[in-house]
Amino acid sequence: MLTFMSGLVGTSAHSAIALPSKNAVIGSCRNRVRRASTLRLSAEMRENGNAKPNDHPAANGAPVSHDFTQLRPDVRRNTQYMTSAHGQSVQEWDKSLSAGDRGPVLLEDHFLIEKMQQFDREKVPERVVHARGMVAKGYFEVTDDASDITMAHFLGQKGRRTPVAARFSTVTHEKGSPEGLRDVRGFSVKMYTEQGNWDFVGNNIPVFFIKDGIMFPDLVHSLRPNPKTHIQEGWRILDFLGNYPESTLMLTYLLDYDGIPKDWRHMEGWSVNTFKLINSQGQERYVKFHFACDQGVETMSDPGAQAAGILNMRHSHATHDLVNAIAAGDFPSWTLEVQTMDPAEEGTLDFDPLDCTKNWPQDKFPLRKVGKMVINQNIDNFHNEAEQIAFNPGTVVPGITFSNDKVLQSRVFSYQDTQRYRIGNHYNMLPINAPRCPFHLNNEDGAQNWMHRDNEINYQPSVMAPAADPPSVKNNNVSQEKISGQRVRSGYPSDGHVDEYKQAGDRYRSFDGARKAHFELHVVEWMADPKGSDELRELWLGHWSKVDEGLGSRIRVELAGRQGLGSVVQKTKDFFTDQSSEEHSIAATKA
């Protein structure tokens, strides 16, 4: 009698096991398919001079290639029969190896173990933010030569084309979440230029919530679902952002129509952060990048977003729209524009151009057209090209570099670090991430380093094989701005002197009546959350009143009418300077 432990046969009893024999008669459709595949394969190999379908080419004297650069796995070289990951053919591949027809499965079934181990590991960790998204490919073409402001080759010479991969995403929620949720949208583009890759890593909204990247983890924690209940709650967002009045401008976008773009094809992209351009004369300019949507920006109401998600159970309505449009030849496009500023001007402004919570007024800093991005190709494989694509605002080319924007400075480190955690240390060797131009680096070893190397010198400098200087101006992507100062933990010098509410107020007052009502309704829904405190409501009533006095008044009246918020009513009388404004409710504005 055999003794089994945990369903696996001990090695000492292995010789006593009578393994099941293969059925002599193959009657199932599946086995007929296998036999036909083998016959076809045999015929193909006979045509190639190989008599036996299982023969290795070397058995018949055929040369064996050792050029590993030509042996990258490719489905176009698949055999017609199933094999293991190591190339061995597998008979009865849909059945586990067991001790008898009804006996336990054997640990020696290498194919089973390999298959299950691979399956257990076939997903990479989900992105911390921007988990839900889609990628498509195309090209960027220069329409207006920008070589006077930057030495970046891909932005110079009218007609020059550069291949691109673009990813559109939601920011806050998990990978399987609906694409119609009220949320910031990510808008990222990887351009495979002749000088290396350039990553544009932006959003559909031109500003951000905070001024310093050190608070980004806390911001994301507040935007995400409650860690206790896994329910996203407005009071948590307001509880955090209430400490940052500069966030009011961002909220006039998020709680406005812009909070739910119609789909990936009908939204724009902003760099949010301030970069620098450097031209061939060494002149430096601050710059913000903008992808204007040629299809026009379109948004959805909350009921519209819910309907889009319900239709055919499509939580991925935006992805369906993008994939189907490209397949039908309806290629979306965006116009790349730049806003530039002479750094000498920053002292004359009523805001800090490095502060990503503020817009640059377009009447003072007009948008200049540079080129057009056309997306005309769907991806071949979602995991390889959408899950494994990796963006980093630190990926720049000569002629584009970083400003001292505090959020940007943090992102330059964080994005690269998260890709190494999520995908692996050699993530930039993956085909979707690798540059299309020749490159030379000495990154060695580590998991999944599949670059072919036969060099003996893997260091620099070297006398035997010295590296040459690049064929361009020295230090052409290093800002020559002089930097000095004491080590301090502080905000921008303008903090405390700049009106943090002005741009939010100007934007709100530009809305028509219906749009104001729509915005106010969403503000009140968040503020009326019963889990929020009266203190938190009063804090935000103060913020919104400084944005616009009428806005604060209407929100206060609406909150006072909500059940369970009677304490707000007691403070209403002292708040109003004009008692008649008490009648100006959100409902009245809607009417």
Side-chain angles (χ1 to χ4, degrees), residues 447-478:
Q448 298 181 345
N449 184 347
W450 52 267
M451 176 180 282
H452 175 64
R453 293 182 180 278
D454 58 7
N455 56 312
E456 296 182 283
I457 293 177
N458 57 355
Y459 49 83
Q460 285 296 330
S462 166
V463 175
M464 300 284 289
D469 290 332
S472 55
V473 181
K474 193 173 183 180
N475 293 331
N476 53 10
N477 61 336
V478 177

Side-chain angles (χ1 to χ4, degrees), residues 76-134:
R76 292 170 294 185
R77 292 198 293 270
N78 276 1
T79 62
Q80 294 190 13
Y81 53 88
M82 298 303 296
T83 75
S84 72
H86 305 284
Q88 300 101 332
S89 61
V90 181
Q91 302 295 328
E92 302 292 350
W93 48 264
D94 58 345
K95 297 178 178 63
S96 300
L97 188 66
S98 62
D101 292 341
R102 300 183 69 246
V105 172
L106 304 180
L107 183 61
E108 71 179 67
D109 189 348
H110 170 75
F111 184 62
L112 166 68
I113 302 302
E114 174 190 274
K115 190 173 182 179
M116 297 307 294
Q117 286 179 324
Q118 174 65 33
F119 176 75
D120 293 343
R121 295 163 174 81
E122 71 180 18
K123 298 300 181 185
V124 297
E126 184 174 289
R127 286 174 167 88
V128 179
V129 287
H130 299 274
R132 169 62 120 168
M134 188 55 180

Side-chain angles (χ1 to χ4, degrees), residues 278-299:
I278 306 176
N279 66 13
S280 57
Q281 287 75 48
Q283 296 172 320
E284 301 183 11
R285 294 172 175 83
Y286 288 141
V287 63
K288 286 200 171 190
F289 300 96
H290 175 225
F291 279 93
C293 183
D294 295 338
Q295 295 73 241
V297 173
E298 296 184 32
T299 61

Side-chain angles (χ1 to χ4, degrees), residues 56 58 62-72 452-454:
H56 190 277
V64 178
S65 172
H66 289 288
D67 183 358
F68 297 109
T69 63
Q70 304 300 316
L71 296 178
R72 178 185 166 206
H452 175 64
R453 293 182 180 278
D454 58 7

